[in-house]
Structures are given as structure tokens and as C-alpha cells.
Amino acid sequence: MRIRQLERLGMGVFPTPFEPMPRLQKELGGPRLFVKRDDLTGVALGGNKIRQLDYILVEAKKKNADYVITTCGVQSNWSRQTAALAAKMGMKALLVLRTAQFKTKPKVYDGNILLDHIMGAEIKVIDMRINEDPTPILEEEAEKLQRKGHRPFVLGLAAAVSPLATAAYAYGFIEMTQQASAMRVKLDAVFVATSAGPTQAGLILGAKIMGLKTKVIGVNVGAYSTERIRKVILESSEGAAKLLGTRERVREGDIIINDDYAGEDYGISTKESIGALRLVARTEALIIDPVYTAKAMAGMIDMIRKGEFEQGQNVCFLHTGGIPALFAYKEQFQPGR
Ligand SMILES: Cc1ncc(COP(=O)(O)O)c(C=O)c1O
């Protein structure tokens, strides 16, 4: 297995821990359970985007940008992690944040948007859903900054689904399987919260590069259709494979996306996701987030309870972070609820 090593900022802290979850395993009575802690990627409360932006923002550094402009929802992990790396690189961040699932502008800053503000990001909240494209607004903001003599770097939504974001998770998969094999563990399946798709795409490509049959099960969190996610996975993994210099390719048949746990909509919790969040907190002191990882965890727990894995098989949950959003959803976790 020989692949190209791409340039990175080196601001994330890797490898992230890979740990067993014995008490959750006992509770569920199925396969052996592990967690890959990409909630601990080392910068501003971590998450999967730090692993990706560590490669993506190399271009901003090379262009000597003084501003990075990006967009997502008000409780966006992508925006928080961009603001964090921008601060560490000595750049300003301008975040165009959409009201998305909250529908109204926040009266009090909480969770991710609070951290964005504390880290010095400039914030513009606009009334827009998560699956609408605000790219023209980013271009407009960039022009305004240029007129003031700044050197903005526009980090559009395309970056979040780029071959680089995917390549980062091919490396992530390799890191995880090396940790597993040091513990004499061969992973049969990995669960991941899938939204736009590149994290899952990278994991699948990583498994191919390693020549492993590990199933990568993406649990759709409800922002995009499975069809669109599949398309992103095929396209971004094709680009990532080229960047990494491998002949391996992700094919239609390699993609497993489970749509059963998305619930009503993106950002709307389900009874099962709230239950899953509480269960892993109580058994493993593992804090997950309500928007992404709780739905993926609900999927993993349900599939184990339905007997889809055998005892002795090894199943890993990729914790992709997102924890700050929990505080913006605090009402649903109050005593008596
Ligand atoms: C916490 C968390 N988990 C999972 C994902 C999904 O990643 P992807 O967009 O690569 O599917 C995201 C992306 O927004 C996220 O913030």
C-alpha cells in the first residue's frame, strides 16, 4: 500500500484515540464495540472537519490570505472549525451562517455560534435553509473585502465535498485500522454519520487502499437525499484516489447508506437519537451531538439490537464531533423530559 502524502497544516492533533466501549457492548450484548475519537482532533472542541481543513486550508496559507469566508448553518461545526483554524493561522474568519433548522435568528448565542464569536469570527446570519446555496453571497462578501484591500480566501461549500476532504478520511481510516491492528482487532464494520458524504467516501476509499472488507455504514442524518450523497461519494472519492495516486476506486456497490434513522428532518431529534445520546453518556461517559452522531449511534444501536452483527465481530463508531451543538438543544435534555 503506497499512497501520496499530501501537504497539511499540522494543526490538528493526530492520531486521535481508538478505544473499546465495554460497557455499551455489555448493555447491547452483541459484537465487540470500539470508538474512534475524532471529537478529539485537538482544536476548539474538535470534530471531523479539523482533519479535513488541515489539508484544505493549506491553499489559503499559500495564497497568503488574511480572511477566510465560509458558510453553513448557525450551529455549524464546519464554520466553528474553520473559525478555529483561521484564528490559529492568524487570519480573520467571516462566517455567513444560515438559520437552517432553527428558522429564526438566534436571540442568544449558544453552542457553535457562541464559540465562533469568542474566537473572533465576524458573523452574518441570513434566513436560509441548509440545502440552499449561498455561494453568490460569499462572492459578494469577498469583493467587498478586496475593495478594502484584504486578501480573502473563499471556502465555499464545494470545499466540504472536495477530494481533499475525502482524502483526509482515507488517511483517517488507515490511522484507525493501524490502531485496531495494534490491538489485534480486525474491524468488520464502521458506523459514521453521513451528511454531505466526503467523510464516508474517505473511509470507503481507505478500506479499499488497505485491501480490507470493512463495511462502512453511513447513517443519513437527513440534510440530503441518499441519491445526492451517493453521487458526492463517487465523485469526491474519484478525485481523492487521483490525489493519493492509487488505482483503487469506490464503486456503487461499496456504498452503504441507511436512511432509517434520519427522522422528520435534518436537525430534528428522534426519540431514538435522544435515547442513544443518553445511553452512551451513561455507559461510556461518551458525549455525542444531537444533530449528527446521535442519529448514527441510534442506527448502530438498533442494528445491533436487531441482531445484524454476530458476537465476536468488531464494530467501530467514528465519533465525528459536533458536541457544542448539544448546548443549543438543551431544552430536550432537561430533567423530567
Ligand atoms: C459532527 C459531524 N458529523 C458528521 C458530519 C458529516 O460529514 P460529511 O458532510 O462529510 O458527510 C458532519 C458534517 O457536517 C459533522 O459536523
Side-chain angles (χ1 to χ4, degrees):
M1 173 204 77
R2 224 181 259 152
I3 52 169
R4 224 170 268 140
Q5 285 306 311
L6 301 171
E7 198 178 334
R8 73 195 307 176
L9 296 171
M11 286 184 173
V13 178
F14 302 106
T16 56
F18 174 82
E19 302 164 339
M21 294 197 285
R23 297 200 64 242
L24 181 64
Q25 182 183 320
K26 196 163 168 222
E27 177 80 24
L28 300 178
R32 291 169 73 194
L33 295 181
F34 299 86
V35 57
K36 172 68 172 162
R37 300 290 306 271
D38 272 12
D39 56 319
L40 299 177
T41 45
V43 186
L45 305 187
N48 59 336
K49 308 304 180 189
I50 296 287
R51 196 183 275 282
Q52 297 169 323
L53 289 164
D54 215 24
Y55 293 93
I56 294 169
L57 287 176
V58 166
E59 196 188 336
K61 189 178 167 191
K62 285 192 175 155
K63 289 189 168 153
N64 196 25
D66 63 349
Y67 255 90
V68 56
I69 309 176
T70 198
T71 181
C72 213
V74 281
Q75 280 305 327
S76 158
N77 299 307
W78 165 262
S79 303
R80 180 215 353 130
Q81 290 164 88
T82 301
L85 290 185
K88 267 177 93 72
M89 292 165 78
M91 297 192 296
K92 278 298 272 185
L94 170 59
L95 309 178
V96 178
L97 301 180
R98 287 165 284 165
T99 45
Q101 73 267 36
F102 296 96
K103 298 194 173 87
T104 54
K105 297 185 181 181
K107 290 190 188 74
V108 177
Y109 279 5
D110 202 348
N112 280 306
I113 193 169
L114 177 64
L115 298 180
D116 298 339
H117 172 64
I118 290 173
M119 289 187 287
E122 287 172 23
I123 298 170
K124 292 198 173 175
V125 180
I126 58 169
D127 217 346
M128 195 185 260
R129 299 281 292 154
I130 201 73
N131 48 11
E132 291 176 64
D133 185 4
T135 307
I137 304 176
L138 303 192
E139 303 293 347
E140 222 174 273
E141 293 297 335
E143 275 168 31
K144 277 194 228 160
L145 284 170
Q146 270 160 353
R147 282 199 291 273
K148 288 184 192 159
H150 289 290
R151 300 177 305 280
F153 178 80
V154 176
L155 188 61
L157 286 177
V161 294
S162 64
L164 265 183
T166 301
Y169 266 94
Y171 292 131
F173 183 91
I174 295 167
E175 178 184 302
M176 175 173 67
T177 43
Q178 283 170 344
Q179 291 169 309
S181 60
M183 290 164 70
R184 297 180 188 284
V185 168
K186 214 166 167 207
L187 294 175
D188 295 288
V190 177
F191 277 84
V192 61
T194 201
S195 185
T199 306
Q200 183 178 1
L203 296 173
I204 303 171
L205 181 62
K208 291 232 143 184
I209 291 168
M210 298 285 281
L212 293 172
K213 297 255 173 294
T214 313
K215 274 190 192 171
V216 178
I217 303 169
V219 178
N220 187 357
V221 299
Y224 301 104
S225 71
T226 295
E227 235 170 45
R228 189 196 126 135
I229 301 171
R230 282 185 175 275
K231 192 163 171 278
V232 166
I233 291 178
L234 289 173
E235 284 173 11
S236 70
S237 62
E238 175 75 27
K242 286 182 186 151
L243 282 178
L244 295 171
T246 174
R247 286 211 193 107
E248 297 294 340
R249 289 293 181 275
V250 173
R251 312 268 175 225
E252 269 287 347
D254 301 319
I255 306 172
I256 307 170
I257 300 173
N258 192 325
D259 253 337
D260 296 345
Y261 305 97
E264 194 186 316
D265 203 352
Y266 170 79
I268 312 278
S269 298
T270 61
K271 194 165 134 266
E272 293 72 24
S273 68
I274 293 173
L277 190 145
R278 286 208 168 103
L279 181 63
V280 294
R282 289 169 191 193
T283 51
E284 296 289 344
L286 187 72
I287 307 301
I288 58 176
D289 86 289
V291 180
Y292 297 93
T293 46
K295 285 186 178 171
M297 187 61 85
M300 186 179 92
I301 290 171
D302 188 55
M303 287 175 73
I304 291 172
R305 286 197 167 132
K306 283 182 176 152
E308 300 212 11
F309 299 95
E310 288 160 24
Q311 286 210 353
Q313 281 196 304
N314 297 303
V315 175
C316 180
F317 184 82
L318 172 64
H319 191 337
T320 43
I323 298 163
L326 180 56
F327 300 100
Y329 281 77
K330 54 184 159 305
E331 268 78 33
Q332 63 194 31
F333 296 99
Q334 295 302 307
R337 291 209 58 181

PDB file of all heavy atoms in Angstrom, residues 194-197 200 220 222-235 252 255-259:
ATOM      1  N   THR A 194     -23.504  10.380   8.173  1.00  0.00           N
ATOM      2  CA  THR A 194     -23.206  10.896   6.838  1.00  0.00           C
ATOM      3  C   THR A 194     -24.178  12.024   6.496  1.00  0.00           C
ATOM      4  O   THR A 194     -25.371  11.921   6.736  1.00  0.00           O
ATOM      5  CB  THR A 194     -23.180   9.748   5.793  1.00  0.00           C
ATOM      6  OG1 THR A 194     -22.449  10.160   4.656  1.00  0.00           O
ATOM      7  CG2 THR A 194     -24.569   9.285   5.363  1.00  0.00           C
ATOM      8  N   SER A 195     -23.590  13.115   5.990  1.00  0.00           N
ATOM      9  CA  SER A 195     -24.437  14.262   5.646  1.00  0.00           C
ATOM     10  C   SER A 195     -24.187  14.638   4.197  1.00  0.00           C
ATOM     11  O   SER A 195     -24.911  14.221   3.308  1.00  0.00           O
ATOM     12  CB  SER A 195     -24.150  15.408   6.612  1.00  0.00           C
ATOM     13  OG  SER A 195     -25.034  16.464   6.375  1.00  0.00           O
ATOM     14  N   ALA A 196     -23.099  15.379   3.930  1.00  0.00           N
ATOM     15  CA  ALA A 196     -22.772  15.654   2.532  1.00  0.00           C
ATOM     16  C   ALA A 196     -22.099  14.431   1.888  1.00  0.00           C
ATOM     17  O   ALA A 196     -22.235  14.217   0.686  1.00  0.00           O
ATOM     18  CB  ALA A 196     -21.879  16.877   2.436  1.00  0.00           C
ATOM     19  N   GLY A 197     -21.332  13.680   2.651  1.00  0.00           N
ATOM     20  CA  GLY A 197     -20.776  12.420   2.133  1.00  0.00           C
ATOM     21  C   GLY A 197     -19.265  12.212   2.129  1.00  0.00           C
ATOM     22  O   GLY A 197     -18.822  11.068   2.107  1.00  0.00           O
ATOM     23  N   GLN A 200     -17.624   9.738   4.780  1.00  0.00           N
ATOM     24  CA  GLN A 200     -17.886   8.333   4.448  1.00  0.00           C
ATOM     25  C   GLN A 200     -17.093   7.909   3.207  1.00  0.00           C
ATOM     26  O   GLN A 200     -16.521   6.809   3.165  1.00  0.00           O
ATOM     27  CB  GLN A 200     -19.392   8.111   4.221  1.00  0.00           C
ATOM     28  CG  GLN A 200     -19.715   6.647   3.943  1.00  0.00           C
ATOM     29  CD  GLN A 200     -21.191   6.370   3.760  1.00  0.00           C
ATOM     30  OE1 GLN A 200     -22.020   7.279   3.812  1.00  0.00           O
ATOM     31  NE2 GLN A 200     -21.522   5.116   3.537  1.00  0.00           N
ATOM     32  N   ASN A 220     -27.650   8.287   7.316  1.00  0.00           N
ATOM     33  CA  ASN A 220     -28.048   9.589   6.780  1.00  0.00           C
ATOM     34  C   ASN A 220     -28.741  10.411   7.874  1.00  0.00           C
ATOM     35  O   ASN A 220     -29.703   9.948   8.479  1.00  0.00           O
ATOM     36  CB  ASN A 220     -28.986   9.375   5.581  1.00  0.00           C
ATOM     37  CG  ASN A 220     -29.311  10.665   4.855  1.00  0.00           C
ATOM     38  OD1 ASN A 220     -28.883  11.749   5.261  1.00  0.00           O
ATOM     39  ND2 ASN A 220     -30.067  10.563   3.778  1.00  0.00           N
ATOM     40  N   GLY A 222     -30.222  13.300   7.368  1.00  0.00           N
ATOM     41  CA  GLY A 222     -31.423  13.946   6.856  1.00  0.00           C
ATOM     42  C   GLY A 222     -31.245  15.287   6.162  1.00  0.00           C
ATOM     43  O   GLY A 222     -32.231  15.921   5.806  1.00  0.00           O
ATOM     44  N   ALA A 223     -30.012  15.720   5.948  1.00  0.00           N
ATOM     45  CA  ALA A 223     -29.831  17.002   5.249  1.00  0.00           C
ATOM     46  C   ALA A 223     -29.984  16.817   3.738  1.00  0.00           C
ATOM     47  O   ALA A 223     -30.503  17.695   3.054  1.00  0.00           O
ATOM     48  CB  ALA A 223     -28.475  17.605   5.570  1.00  0.00           C
ATOM     49  N   TYR A 224     -29.526  15.696   3.223  1.00  0.00           N
ATOM     50  CA  TYR A 224     -29.532  15.466   1.770  1.00  0.00           C
ATOM     51  C   TYR A 224     -30.107  14.094   1.447  1.00  0.00           C
ATOM     52  O   TYR A 224     -30.072  13.176   2.267  1.00  0.00           O
ATOM     53  CB  TYR A 224     -28.085  15.542   1.226  1.00  0.00           C
ATOM     54  CG  TYR A 224     -27.427  16.860   1.499  1.00  0.00           C
ATOM     55  CD1 TYR A 224     -26.469  16.981   2.506  1.00  0.00           C
ATOM     56  CD2 TYR A 224     -27.760  18.001   0.765  1.00  0.00           C
ATOM     57  CE1 TYR A 224     -25.858  18.209   2.775  1.00  0.00           C
ATOM     58  CE2 TYR A 224     -27.163  19.218   1.027  1.00  0.00           C
ATOM     59  CZ  TYR A 224     -26.216  19.322   2.024  1.00  0.00           C
ATOM     60  OH  TYR A 224     -25.624  20.532   2.285  1.00  0.00           O
ATOM     61  N   SER A 225     -30.559  13.959   0.202  1.00  0.00           N
ATOM     62  CA  SER A 225     -31.092  12.665  -0.237  1.00  0.00           C
ATOM     63  C   SER A 225     -29.944  11.664  -0.391  1.00  0.00           C
ATOM     64  O   SER A 225     -28.810  12.046  -0.683  1.00  0.00           O
ATOM     65  CB  SER A 225     -31.809  12.821  -1.576  1.00  0.00           C
ATOM     66  OG  SER A 225     -30.844  13.061  -2.589  1.00  0.00           O
ATOM     67  N   THR A 226     -30.290  10.400  -0.217  1.00  0.00           N
ATOM     68  CA  THR A 226     -29.287   9.342  -0.377  1.00  0.00           C
ATOM     69  C   THR A 226     -28.681   9.390  -1.782  1.00  0.00           C
ATOM     70  O   THR A 226     -27.493   9.167  -1.961  1.00  0.00           O
ATOM     71  CB  THR A 226     -29.940   7.977  -0.106  1.00  0.00           C
ATOM     72  OG1 THR A 226     -30.321   7.974   1.262  1.00  0.00           O
ATOM     73  CG2 THR A 226     -29.003   6.824  -0.343  1.00  0.00           C
ATOM     74  N   GLU A 227     -29.529   9.696  -2.754  1.00  0.00           N
ATOM     75  CA  GLU A 227     -29.053   9.794  -4.143  1.00  0.00           C
ATOM     76  C   GLU A 227     -27.918  10.811  -4.282  1.00  0.00           C
ATOM     77  O   GLU A 227     -26.901  10.568  -4.903  1.00  0.00           O
ATOM     78  CB  GLU A 227     -30.211  10.280  -4.998  1.00  0.00           C
ATOM     79  CG  GLU A 227     -30.553   9.414  -6.150  1.00  0.00           C
ATOM     80  CD  GLU A 227     -31.855   9.886  -6.757  1.00  0.00           C
ATOM     81  OE1 GLU A 227     -32.040  11.101  -6.938  1.00  0.00           O
ATOM     82  OE2 GLU A 227     -32.688   8.998  -7.040  1.00  0.00           O
ATOM     83  N   ARG A 228     -28.145  11.994  -3.656  1.00  0.00           N
ATOM     84  CA  ARG A 228     -27.126  13.043  -3.746  1.00  0.00           C
ATOM     85  C   ARG A 228     -25.855  12.622  -3.003  1.00  0.00           C
ATOM     86  O   ARG A 228     -24.742  12.847  -3.462  1.00  0.00           O
ATOM     87  CB  ARG A 228     -27.661  14.360  -3.173  1.00  0.00           C
ATOM     88  CG  ARG A 228     -26.686  15.504  -3.462  1.00  0.00           C
ATOM     89  CD  ARG A 228     -26.936  16.725  -2.623  1.00  0.00           C
ATOM     90  NE  ARG A 228     -25.687  17.068  -1.939  1.00  0.00           N
ATOM     91  CZ  ARG A 228     -25.199  18.288  -1.856  1.00  0.00           C
ATOM     92  NH1 ARG A 228     -25.812  19.298  -2.385  1.00  0.00           N
ATOM     93  NH2 ARG A 228     -24.069  18.504  -1.211  1.00  0.00           N
ATOM     94  N   ILE A 229     -26.021  11.984  -1.856  1.00  0.00           N
ATOM     95  CA  ILE A 229     -24.845  11.558  -1.081  1.00  0.00           C
ATOM     96  C   ILE A 229     -24.026  10.551  -1.904  1.00  0.00           C
ATOM     97  O   ILE A 229     -22.807  10.630  -1.982  1.00  0.00           O
ATOM     98  CB  ILE A 229     -25.250  10.961   0.286  1.00  0.00           C
ATOM     99  CG1 ILE A 229     -26.038  11.983   1.122  1.00  0.00           C
ATOM    100  CG2 ILE A 229     -24.019  10.494   1.065  1.00  0.00           C
ATOM    101  CD1 ILE A 229     -26.675  11.423   2.395  1.00  0.00           C
ATOM    102  N   ARG A 230     -24.723   9.606  -2.538  1.00  0.00           N
ATOM    103  CA  ARG A 230     -24.031   8.600  -3.366  1.00  0.00           C
ATOM    104  C   ARG A 230     -23.204   9.268  -4.471  1.00  0.00           C
ATOM    105  O   ARG A 230     -22.084   8.882  -4.750  1.00  0.00           O
ATOM    106  CB  ARG A 230     -25.050   7.671  -4.039  1.00  0.00           C
ATOM    107  CG  ARG A 230     -25.588   6.626  -3.128  1.00  0.00           C
ATOM    108  CD  ARG A 230     -26.502   5.647  -3.869  1.00  0.00           C
ATOM    109  NE  ARG A 230     -26.871   4.616  -2.941  1.00  0.00           N
ATOM    110  CZ  ARG A 230     -26.136   3.534  -2.698  1.00  0.00           C
ATOM    111  NH1 ARG A 230     -25.040   3.310  -3.365  1.00  0.00           N
ATOM    112  NH2 ARG A 230     -26.511   2.659  -1.792  1.00  0.00           N
ATOM    113  N   LYS A 231     -23.819  10.290  -5.085  1.00  0.00           N
ATOM    114  CA  LYS A 231     -23.149  10.995  -6.173  1.00  0.00           C
ATOM    115  C   LYS A 231     -21.872  11.676  -5.640  1.00  0.00           C
ATOM    116  O   LYS A 231     -20.800  11.586  -6.245  1.00  0.00           O
ATOM    117  CB  LYS A 231     -24.128  12.025  -6.762  1.00  0.00           C
ATOM    118  CG  LYS A 231     -23.700  12.623  -8.050  1.00  0.00           C
ATOM    119  CD  LYS A 231     -24.914  13.290  -8.727  1.00  0.00           C
ATOM    120  CE  LYS A 231     -24.498  14.093  -9.927  1.00  0.00           C
ATOM    121  NZ  LYS A 231     -24.004  15.420  -9.658  1.00  0.00           N
ATOM    122  N   VAL A 232     -22.005  12.339  -4.483  1.00  0.00           N
ATOM    123  CA  VAL A 232     -20.840  13.006  -3.878  1.00  0.00           C
ATOM    124  C   VAL A 232     -19.756  11.979  -3.539  1.00  0.00           C
ATOM    125  O   VAL A 232     -18.566  12.208  -3.781  1.00  0.00           O
ATOM    126  CB  VAL A 232     -21.254  13.798  -2.606  1.00  0.00           C
ATOM    127  CG1 VAL A 232     -20.037  14.191  -1.779  1.00  0.00           C
ATOM    128  CG2 VAL A 232     -22.062  15.032  -2.982  1.00  0.00           C
ATOM    129  N   ILE A 233     -20.178  10.852  -2.996  1.00  0.00           N
ATOM    130  CA  ILE A 233     -19.193   9.824  -2.608  1.00  0.00           C
ATOM    131  C   ILE A 233     -18.426   9.341  -3.842  1.00  0.00           C
ATOM    132  O   ILE A 233     -17.195   9.243  -3.813  1.00  0.00           O
ATOM    133  CB  ILE A 233     -19.873   8.656  -1.851  1.00  0.00           C
ATOM    134  CG1 ILE A 233     -20.346   9.149  -0.472  1.00  0.00           C
ATOM    135  CG2 ILE A 233     -18.936   7.452  -1.725  1.00  0.00           C
ATOM    136  CD1 ILE A 233     -21.085   8.119   0.374  1.00  0.00           C
ATOM    137  N   LEU A 234     -19.147   9.073  -4.932  1.00  0.00           N
ATOM    138  CA  LEU A 234     -18.471   8.576  -6.142  1.00  0.00           C
ATOM    139  C   LEU A 234     -17.525   9.638  -6.705  1.00  0.00           C
ATOM    140  O   LEU A 234     -16.369   9.353  -7.025  1.00  0.00           O
ATOM    141  CB  LEU A 234     -19.501   8.159  -7.199  1.00  0.00           C
ATOM    142  CG  LEU A 234     -20.279   6.880  -6.879  1.00  0.00           C
ATOM    143  CD1 LEU A 234     -21.393   6.645  -7.889  1.00  0.00           C
ATOM    144  CD2 LEU A 234     -19.333   5.672  -6.836  1.00  0.00           C
ATOM    145  N   GLU A 235     -18.004  10.885  -6.776  1.00  0.00           N
ATOM    146  CA  GLU A 235     -17.187  11.938  -7.393  1.00  0.00           C
ATOM    147  C   GLU A 235     -15.990  12.319  -6.525  1.00  0.00           C
ATOM    148  O   GLU A 235     -14.867  12.440  -7.006  1.00  0.00           O
ATOM    149  CB  GLU A 235     -18.053  13.183  -7.647  1.00  0.00           C
ATOM    150  CG  GLU A 235     -18.956  13.004  -8.854  1.00  0.00           C
ATOM    151  CD  GLU A 235     -19.958  14.138  -9.034  1.00  0.00           C
ATOM    152  OE1 GLU A 235     -19.828  15.181  -8.347  1.00  0.00           O
ATOM    153  OE2 GLU A 235     -20.867  13.969  -9.868  1.00  0.00           O
ATOM    154  N   GLU A 252     -20.299   1.892  -6.910  1.00  0.00           N
ATOM    155  CA  GLU A 252     -21.693   1.931  -6.395  1.00  0.00           C
ATOM    156  C   GLU A 252     -21.928   0.900  -5.288  1.00  0.00           C
ATOM    157  O   GLU A 252     -22.480   1.215  -4.239  1.00  0.00           O
ATOM    158  CB  GLU A 252     -22.674   1.621  -7.532  1.00  0.00           C
ATOM    159  CG  GLU A 252     -23.163   2.840  -8.278  1.00  0.00           C
ATOM    160  CD  GLU A 252     -24.156   3.670  -7.478  1.00  0.00           C
ATOM    161  OE1 GLU A 252     -24.661   3.197  -6.451  1.00  0.00           O
ATOM    162  OE2 GLU A 252     -24.393   4.826  -7.890  1.00  0.00           O
ATOM    163  N   ILE A 255     -21.050   1.381  -1.503  1.00  0.00           N
ATOM    164  CA  ILE A 255     -21.663   2.445  -0.689  1.00  0.00           C
ATOM    165  C   ILE A 255     -22.890   1.919   0.058  1.00  0.00           C
ATOM    166  O   ILE A 255     -23.860   1.480  -0.559  1.00  0.00           O
ATOM    167  CB  ILE A 255     -22.071   3.643  -1.586  1.00  0.00           C
ATOM    168  CG1 ILE A 255     -20.868   4.119  -2.414  1.00  0.00           C
ATOM    169  CG2 ILE A 255     -22.645   4.781  -0.742  1.00  0.00           C
ATOM    170  CD1 ILE A 255     -21.215   5.174  -3.473  1.00  0.00           C
ATOM    171  N   ILE A 256     -22.823   1.984   1.386  1.00  0.00           N
ATOM    172  CA  ILE A 256     -23.971   1.570   2.206  1.00  0.00           C
ATOM    173  C   ILE A 256     -24.462   2.806   2.958  1.00  0.00           C
ATOM    174  O   ILE A 256     -23.733   3.377   3.774  1.00  0.00           O
ATOM    175  CB  ILE A 256     -23.569   0.492   3.243  1.00  0.00           C
ATOM    176  CG1 ILE A 256     -22.854  -0.679   2.580  1.00  0.00           C
ATOM    177  CG2 ILE A 256     -24.797   0.024   4.043  1.00  0.00           C
ATOM    178  CD1 ILE A 256     -22.217  -1.659   3.571  1.00  0.00           C
ATOM    179  N   ILE A 257     -25.688   3.234   2.638  1.00  0.00           N
ATOM    180  CA  ILE A 257     -26.275   4.369   3.369  1.00  0.00           C
ATOM    181  C   ILE A 257     -27.609   3.913   3.938  1.00  0.00           C
ATOM    182  O   ILE A 257     -28.462   3.401   3.208  1.00  0.00           O
ATOM    183  CB  ILE A 257     -26.479   5.600   2.455  1.00  0.00           C
ATOM    184  CG1 ILE A 257     -25.134   6.053   1.885  1.00  0.00           C
ATOM    185  CG2 ILE A 257     -27.133   6.748   3.238  1.00  0.00           C
ATOM    186  CD1 ILE A 257     -25.239   7.155   0.838  1.00  0.00           C
ATOM    187  N   ASN A 258     -27.751   4.089   5.240  1.00  0.00           N
ATOM    188  CA  ASN A 258     -29.000   3.709   5.883  1.00  0.00           C
ATOM    189  C   ASN A 258     -29.826   4.971   6.154  1.00  0.00           C
ATOM    190  O   ASN A 258     -29.375   5.882   6.835  1.00  0.00           O
ATOM    191  CB  ASN A 258     -28.704   2.966   7.195  1.00  0.00           C
ATOM    192  CG  ASN A 258     -29.948   2.310   7.744  1.00  0.00           C
ATOM    193  OD1 ASN A 258     -31.044   2.849   7.614  1.00  0.00           O
ATOM    194  ND2 ASN A 258     -29.781   1.143   8.326  1.00  0.00           N
ATOM    195  N   ASP A 259     -31.024   4.986   5.601  1.00  0.00           N
ATOM    196  CA  ASP A 259     -31.908   6.159   5.674  1.00  0.00           C
ATOM    197  C   ASP A 259     -32.924   6.066   6.812  1.00  0.00           C
ATOM    198  O   ASP A 259     -33.751   6.953   6.972  1.00  0.00           O
ATOM    199  CB  ASP A 259     -32.724   6.227   4.360  1.00  0.00           C
ATOM    200  CG  ASP A 259     -32.243   7.341   3.464  1.00  0.00           C
ATOM    201  OD1 ASP A 259     -31.644   8.286   3.981  1.00  0.00           O
ATOM    202  OD2 ASP A 259     -32.485   7.249   2.243  1.00  0.00           O
TER     203      ASP A 259
END
